[in-house]
Amino acid sequence: MSKPIIISGIQPTGNLHIGNYLGAVKNWVELQNSTTQELFIFIADLHALTGTQTAEERRQQILVTAAELIAAGIDPKKTTFFIQSHVPEHSELAWIFNTITPVAELERMTQFKDKSEHQDKNINSGLLTYPVLQAADILLYKATKVPIGQDQVQHLELTRDIARWFNNRYGSPNGGTGEYFKEVKPLLTNTPRVMSLLEPTKKMSKSLGAGHVIELADEPDIILNKIKKAVTANAGGAGAPGVTNLLNLLKQFGSKKNYGEFTEAEKDGTIRYGELKEKLATAVSNYFSDFRKKRAELMENPQALRELLRSGAEQARKRASKTLAEIYSLVGLR
Ligand code: TRP
């Protein structure tokens, strides 16, 4: 018996930031040390086609994302690490899933509605069928667990629905159990959501603007500058979202002692935001100093990076092509 598979993906639409890191990547790196499960991580370049990057931007960003994930700790020796479009079975299975997914279910997706608002000049059908491709990503490997952020839970529920629709319609060709796909479950981290530095009631996201996020690749002076501009509390109010966010970050990246001191000071009302910001900036800079070095090294040799990715895709395809052959047969195409 092969081990249960855990899979997750990330769109290559921007440099990794600390929200991606704490919400997803850090968790992946921990999961890859499991001896009882197998981890698959991929770069969702086909999903990125639904966005607005130019071809050149996209080509570059795919490579950067690969380098950054490795620099952040994804180890291609432990994890099957690849680029989605290098495994054409993802698109092939997505097409089949399109034919069993009601349009109305896709129109309900919160992310589709949000994106339609944000890119109202480019509401392409790929945006609508985005979660169908995501279901294909997961079910192609018959994965049973998917580490994702809260914002992807609705897509994962749709994946479960698609698995069920498929099972009902095609799952028992010879009167079998009708359970071709097993149940898929989300794995959520309990790290608090990382909020924007400048609008701390919104989730940290590059789409808000560069000053809102701290990228893992940011140099120490940039980190300090961004954190200095972070919104804290206007009238010294305790528990203001900006202050809570900075304290949460200090908890993740700083020492226990520092975190303890600043939390106490916040309660007493003696906290000095300038000091908190300096401590936090140092902590974040130190935490990612190896990352910055590793990233630069990897980007110096893109050929080696491409080779790693090619071999990851080869590994992934073994499993993908097997599933797809079974599915073609189940639906009557073979
Ligand atoms: N939609 C996911 C995101 O934006 C990325 C993604 C694509 C994904 N396919 C996936 C995540 C499959 C988990 C599993 O974060």
Side-chain angles (χ1 to χ4, degrees), residues 51-72:
T52 52
Q53 285 166 315
T54 65
E56 229 8 89
E57 284 164 356
R58 188 172 296 120
R59 196 182 335 271
Q60 176 64 13
Q61 196 61 53
I62 291 169
L63 210 59
V64 169
T65 304
E68 292 201 328
L69 287 171
I70 296 174

Side-chain angles (χ1 to χ4, degrees), residues 8-9 11 42 44 47 130 134 137-138 146 148 152:
S8 200
Q11 287 197 68
F42 65 94
H47 279 107
Y130 180 111
Q134 186 161 348
D137 296 337
I138 297 165
V146 187
I148 41 170
Q152 294 297 313

Side-chain angles (χ1 to χ4, degrees), residues 16-18 197-198 204 210-231 246 249-250 253 274 276-292:
L16 291 182
H17 59 69
I18 57 173
L197 297 177
L198 300 178
M204 181 175 280
H212 293 252
V213 306
I214 299 172
E215 294 183 356
L216 308 197
D218 280 343
E219 292 296 334
D221 56 325
I222 306 280
I223 296 175
L224 180 61
N225 263 324
K226 286 181 176 175
I227 293 181
K228 273 190 178 161
K229 295 195 183 107
V231 171
L246 297 182
L249 292 174
L250 189 64
F253 297 118
L276 167 64
K277 287 176 168 183
E278 299 219 351
K279 281 278 186 306
L280 177 61
T282 308
V284 174
S285 300
N286 291 343
Y287 191 96
F288 291 110
S289 96
D290 284 348
F291 169 90
R292 292 190 298 272

Side-chain angles (χ1 to χ4, degrees), residues 288-331:
F288 291 110
S289 96
D290 284 348
F291 169 90
R292 292 190 298 272
K293 238 183 275 155
K294 187 100 202 279
R295 178 192 194 269
E297 279 164 24
L298 289 161
M299 288 308 293
E300 264 170 34
N301 193 351
Q303 216 32 55
L305 206 50
R306 287 196 190 94
E307 183 49 39
L308 273 178
L309 291 162
R310 197 199 51 74
S311 122
E314 203 173 290
Q315 214 172 304
R317 267 199 102 170
K318 284 188 197 142
R319 194 173 282 268
S321 60
K322 185 160 169 283
T323 308
L324 195 71
E326 289 169 0
I327 289 175
Y328 273 149
S329 164
L330 285 171
V331 302

Side-chain angles (χ1 to χ4, degrees), residues 77-325:
K77 289 202 193 74
K78 295 181 181 163
T79 294
T80 303
F81 179 54
F82 62 101
I83 295 185
Q84 185 186 33
S85 72
H86 292 184
V87 182
E89 286 82 357
H90 288 248
S91 308
E92 296 184 63
L93 183 56
W95 174 255
I96 293 175
F97 285 168
N98 272 327
T99 66
I100 60 167
T101 305
V103 173
E105 296 288 334
L106 299 176
E107 286 169 341
R108 297 178 38 235
M109 293 291 123
T110 322
Q111 205 161 68
F112 171 65
K113 291 191 260 185
D114 283 353
K115 286 186 182 168
S116 302
E117 247 170 65
H118 282 115
Q119 60 184 66
D120 59 350
K121 298 277 179 321
N122 180 17
I123 309 178
N124 58 81
S125 358
L127 274 187
L128 181 68
T129 57
Y130 180 111
V132 179
L133 177 58
Q134 186 161 348
D137 296 337
I138 297 165
L139 296 173
L140 188 55
Y141 302 97
K142 299 185 185 163
T144 50
K145 286 184 198 159
V146 187
I148 41 170
Q150 194 59 45
D151 64 324
Q152 294 297 313
V153 168
Q154 196 184 35
H155 287 167
L156 201 77
E157 259 149 34
L158 187 79
T159 300
R160 293 157 63 96
D161 289 336
I162 290 176
R164 228 172 289 132
W165 296 325
F166 185 91
N167 285 345
N168 288 340
R169 184 154 168 199
Y170 298 116
S172 45
N174 312 305
T177 60
E179 282 292 294
Y180 180 72
F181 290 120
K182 294 212 191 71
E183 198 182 23
V184 184
K185 291 198 177 117
L187 280 181
L188 295 165
T189 49
N190 43 23
T191 322
R193 273 207 311 174
V194 178
M195 309 310 276
S196 149
L197 297 177
L198 300 178
E199 284 177 78
T201 54
K202 294 186 180 158
K203 195 180 99 158
M204 181 175 280
S205 156
K206 212 187 84 165
S207 62
L208 296 171
H212 293 252
V213 306
I214 299 172
E215 294 183 356
L216 308 197
D218 280 343
E219 292 296 334
D221 56 325
I222 306 280
I223 296 175
L224 180 61
N225 263 324
K226 286 181 176 175
I227 293 181
K228 273 190 178 161
K229 295 195 183 107
V231 171
T232 47
N234 288 335
V243 179
T244 307
N245 192 39
L246 297 182
L247 286 172
N248 283 337
L249 292 174
L250 189 64
K251 183 173 184 188
Q252 299 295 328
F253 297 118
S255 68
K256 265 213 170 79
K257 178 167 166 285
N258 264 327
Y259 173 68
E261 284 167 5
F262 280 102
T263 342
E264 276 311 305
E266 204 228 356
K267 280 192 203 122
D268 303 347
T270 56
I271 189 165
R272 286 203 254 162
Y273 297 134
E275 263 173 44
L276 167 64
K277 287 176 168 183
E278 299 219 351
K279 281 278 186 306
L280 177 61
T282 308
V284 174
S285 300
N286 291 343
Y287 191 96
F288 291 110
S289 96
D290 284 348
F291 169 90
R292 292 190 298 272
K293 238 183 275 155
K294 187 100 202 279
R295 178 192 194 269
E297 279 164 24
L298 289 161
M299 288 308 293
E300 264 170 34
N301 193 351
Q303 216 32 55
L305 206 50
R306 287 196 190 94
E307 183 49 39
L308 273 178
L309 291 162
R310 197 199 51 74
S311 122
E314 203 173 290
Q315 214 172 304
R317 267 199 102 170
K318 284 188 197 142
R319 194 173 282 268
S321 60
K322 185 160 169 283
T323 308
L324 195 71

